[in-house]
Amino acid sequence: MSSSVATYDDVVQAARRMRGRLHKTQVAESLALNNLCGARVLVKCEALQRTGTFKFRGALNRILRLSAAEREAGVVAFSSGNFGQGLAVRKFVLTFNFPMNSNRLQHKQSMCNV
């Protein structure tokens, strides 16, 4: 896994990998932000994504980049937050151990069943 900044080509490749696996979320213009910034500001509505967070994209992209051996070994998410939910979305699960240690366990489990 590289620690370098993503390039345009990295983004294009990620989009290709994830095509058909994500909700297409809209882009909305924010007049309040336009006025505040003195420029046109567009906001990507990722709260409408599966699990309600943009982190689903990153988690899914990482899963899809795993080798066959890595997939066989499985994934452990030390997170009961948005990234962990992104990994746990059952439609895309390969083999995962997913320890949830949250007092919101039932809610978080229901968010993983989308």
Side-chain angles (χ1 to χ4, degrees), residues 3-95:
S3 62
S4 63
V5 175
T7 66
Y8 176 78
D9 287 338
D10 292 333
V11 174
V12 170
Q13 289 174 18
R16 286 183 183 142
R17 266 191 296 278
M18 295 185 290
R19 185 174 290 135
R21 293 183 160 107
L22 300 165
H23 292 306
K24 289 189 177 190
T25 55
Q26 67 188 27
V27 176
E29 186 168 6
S30 171
L31 298 177
L33 287 175
N34 288 355
N35 292 333
L36 184 66
C37 297
R40 186 173 187 212
V41 177
L42 301 174
V43 180
K44 185 79 167 133
C45 301
E46 285 298 281
L48 302 176
Q49 192 53 259
R50 290 181 167 100
T51 74
T53 173
F54 73 92
K55 291 186 178 184
F56 175 62
R57 288 181 186 274
L60 177 60
N61 185 47
R62 184 63 188 116
I63 289 168
L64 294 173
R65 292 176 56 218
L66 294 175
S67 69
E70 290 169 325
R71 287 181 187 157
E72 183 65 29
V75 174
V76 175
F78 190 72
S79 168
S80 60
N82 295 337
F83 192 81
Q85 286 179 7
L87 284 173
V89 173
R90 290 197 176 133
K91 185 173 182 180
F92 307 107
V93 166
L94 304 169
T95 303

